[in-house]
Amino acid sequence: MFILSIIPYFGIGQNKITGKIVDQLGFPVYRASVELNATDNITYTDYDGSFSLSSTKDFHWKINIKSKGYKPESFFVLNGGNTGNIVLEYNTDINKLLDGSSSLHQKFYWDTWNKEILFPKSEHLLVGLFNPSN
């Protein structure tokens, strides 16, 4: 009787859901929230994008994934509890930045810095140096 009463304390009644969250380029997503649907059971991915959740339910689960800069995702985990890699898509703001259609593009890309910030239009300086009439 004693042995049967302590079995739940060792986690035999728990089922594990494991997986990895990556972005569209295959890089791990750090600190993405992974939540079992309709429960308070939530965890966050580590530096490698990996996560692990425990559940008393033993067949299939629905998990909700959220991270800043990405579209929210719902994913069904069926058998075995391993999701493999789940790919999150970038949200529209990040896509605009990557495509170069955002106003932030000029602040982050070297070609713009090279032209406008580091080497401003210097024709005025050169004309003054080489014009002996000044």
Side-chain angles (χ1 to χ4, degrees), residues 15 19 21 23 31-33 35 39 54 56-57 59 71 74-75 78 88 92-93 104 106 114 123 127:
N15 295 295
I21 310 296
D23 65 9
R31 296 288 295 164
S33 68
E35 172 190 30
T39 69
S54 296
T56 56
K57 199 172 174 183
F59 180 67
K71 295 178 184 176
S74 291
F75 192 82
L78 296 178
L88 290 185
T92 54
D93 294 333
L104 291 175
Q106 294 177 350
N114 188 17
E123 299 91 34
V127 170

Side-chain angles (χ1 to χ4, degrees), residues 24-128:
Q24 291 172 290
L25 300 174
F27 294 112
V29 177
Y30 176 66
R31 296 288 295 164
S33 68
V34 182
E35 172 190 30
L36 274 174
N37 192 43
T39 69
D40 292 333
N41 197 352
I42 188 169
T43 190
Y44 296 91
T45 57
D46 62 9
Y47 68 93
D48 194 28
S50 299
F51 70 91
S52 178
L53 279 169
S54 296
S55 172
T56 56
K57 199 172 174 183
D58 66 349
F59 180 67
H60 65 280
W61 305 269
K62 180 180 178 184
I63 57 174
N64 301 315
I65 306 159
K66 295 178 187 172
S67 184
K68 194 168 193 169
Y70 300 93
K71 295 178 184 176
E73 178 75 35
S74 291
F75 192 82
F76 289 94
V77 184
L78 296 178
N79 215 355
N82 189 348
T83 66
N85 287 352
I86 298 174
V87 179
L88 290 185
E89 293 182 23
Y90 298 118
N91 66 12
T92 54
D93 294 333
I94 299 297
N95 276 329
K96 284 181 185 178
L97 181 64
L98 293 174
D99 291 342
S101 59
S102 169
S103 62
L104 291 175
H105 174 80
Q106 294 177 350
K107 294 180 183 177
F108 292 106
Y109 287 94
W110 173 254
D111 61 336
T112 307
W113 284 29
N114 188 17
K115 291 177 188 172
E116 297 175 12
I117 297 172
L118 296 178
F119 303 106
K121 295 182 180 178
S122 58
E123 299 91 34
H124 306 302
L125 296 173
L126 293 175
V127 170

